[in-house]
Amino acid sequence: MSMEAYVNEAVSKFRKLLEEQIERSEKMRTAPEKKDFSKTQKIVVGTIDGDGIGPILMAQANRVLKVLLRDELASGRVEIREISGLTIENRIALGKSVPDDTMNAIKECDVLLKGPTTTPKGGSMESANVTLRRELDLYANVRPVTIPEENCDWTFFRENTEGEYVLGSRGIEIPDILTMDFKVTTEPGTKRIARTAYEFARNNGKKRVSIVTKANIMKKTDGSFSAICHEIAKEYPEIETDEWYIDIMTANLVNPRIRNQFEVFLLPNLYGDIITDEAAQLQGGVGTAGSANTGDRYAMFEAIHGSAPRMVEEGIQDYANPSSLFRAIELMLRHIAMPEKADALSNALTVCSETERRVIVTGNKDGATAGEFTDYVIETLIKANA
Ligand code: IPM
Ligand code: MG
């Protein structure tokens, strides 16, 4: 192909991307009404195993769900629906990041509990997570992290449907010369994540929201993210707003002198992805933090970590830590208006990781297995309820 032909192809591709993104942005202006789960007769929870350590952790999550939701499952108020087909083998065979049958089944659920899914590096297959977040319009990625001994209580609000992710599999390549990816920030997309973060702050007695960007370099996208968030901040005058660049914020989180002063973080997609792994590691490991992906119609709850193919290769998959997925269950229970059950699980997890009879999951053969840890969690839940 001649250079001219490459350029023409890229330009027409770019026009299409632009038109699609304008259309997506317009659609966002009419949000569907949120479901009030306290009034919903029946709640359908879809469970998705995922890849790698996913099925092992999800088996344990199912045990915990059955204990916590015993009455609701018996009465039919809650239905747990196992959703198949979201394995890397099936996705590769069908050439679809989320196969159609699986997507249809998912759309019939209210909320999802999902194990980690493997994302192929390179190629054009999109990450299943990215597809699900886009197709279900799960625009808020909410990740709580605490370091109790230091009084750190952080909640990250990561924009989850745009930024570097929305066109991450649709960049441009001119072989042997250059490659180019795109980053997108829309006005309605930024407004809705900013509102979600500020509403959370207001409803939970938080006094400070920290916006995190790299607006000195990403002038258009992060520049407008910053400006729009500050605009929304004016609707919440009781809350203090500050702004940091992502590089220094990454340093702040490892600075014990100041890190307990932060409360709520509001940030674009990729920075949110990176910094929440750092935060989870500070809390005790990426195996310890839960992640809520919420939108107006659907919500998906998952572990913060990936499918850990290395653990499977080394044969230590049974030693993976299910805590992160259990924290996801806690977030899910709060979302479906069952806060007492969420608190019960949270207390049991705290007891199981802090008491003398600690069953420590190290992620290796010197520690407990996911099943042993779950036995302890269930025993603790039942004891607390007795
Ligand atoms: C996360 C994960 C995902 C992401 C991957 C699996 C696509 O790292 O949920 O943080 O990058 O968002
Ligand atoms: Mg991540």
Side-chain angles (χ1 to χ4, degrees), residues 117 119 127 129-130 133 141 143 158 165 273 302 304:
T117 40
T119 305
S127 136
N129 266 32
V130 175
R133 288 167 183 168
N141 187 195
R143 297 181 158 176
R158 161 189 178 193
Y165 279 66
D273 174 47
E302 59 186 352
I304 204 172

Side-chain angles (χ1 to χ4, degrees), residues 126-159:
E126 190 173 57
S127 136
N129 266 32
V130 175
T131 308
L132 287 169
R133 288 167 183 168
R134 188 186 54 244
E135 292 298 310
L136 306 177
D137 207 16
L138 308 173
Y139 58 84
N141 187 195
V142 189
R143 297 181 158 176
V145 169
T146 60
I147 312 175
E149 60 278 19
E150 280 186 35
N151 235 350
C152 289
D153 185 358
W154 300 329
T155 312
F156 294 85
F157 284 81
R158 161 189 178 193
E159 199 295 316

Side-chain angles (χ1 to χ4, degrees), residues 303-366:
I304 204 172
H305 57 74
S307 59
R310 248 179 302 218
M311 290 188 85
V312 180
E313 270 162 37
E314 290 169 25
I316 53 168
Q317 63 276 19
D318 289 338
Y319 296 86
N321 193 347
S323 302
S324 185
L325 197 55
F326 294 172
R327 289 287 172 195
I329 296 179
E330 180 195 335
L331 293 166
M332 183 180 88
L333 292 168
R334 278 191 213 291
H335 183 83
I336 59 174
M338 298 185 183
E340 298 85 11
K341 290 182 195 294
D343 290 342
L345 177 58
S346 174
N347 292 339
L349 289 175
T350 306
V351 168
C352 293
S353 49
E354 282 174 7
T355 55
E356 280 166 29
R357 219 198 98 190
R358 262 175 96 177
V359 177
I360 306 170
V361 190
T362 59
N364 219 322
K365 285 187 178 160
D366 59 351

Side-chain angles (χ1 to χ4, degrees), residues 26-44:
E26 290 306 315
K27 266 201 205 132
M28 262 185 272
R29 296 195 191 271
T30 47
E33 209 180 310
K34 283 195 179 153
K35 215 171 197 170
D36 179 354
F37 285 103
S38 66
K39 299 204 180 82
T40 308
Q41 293 295 322
K42 180 170 177 185
I43 303 171
V44 180

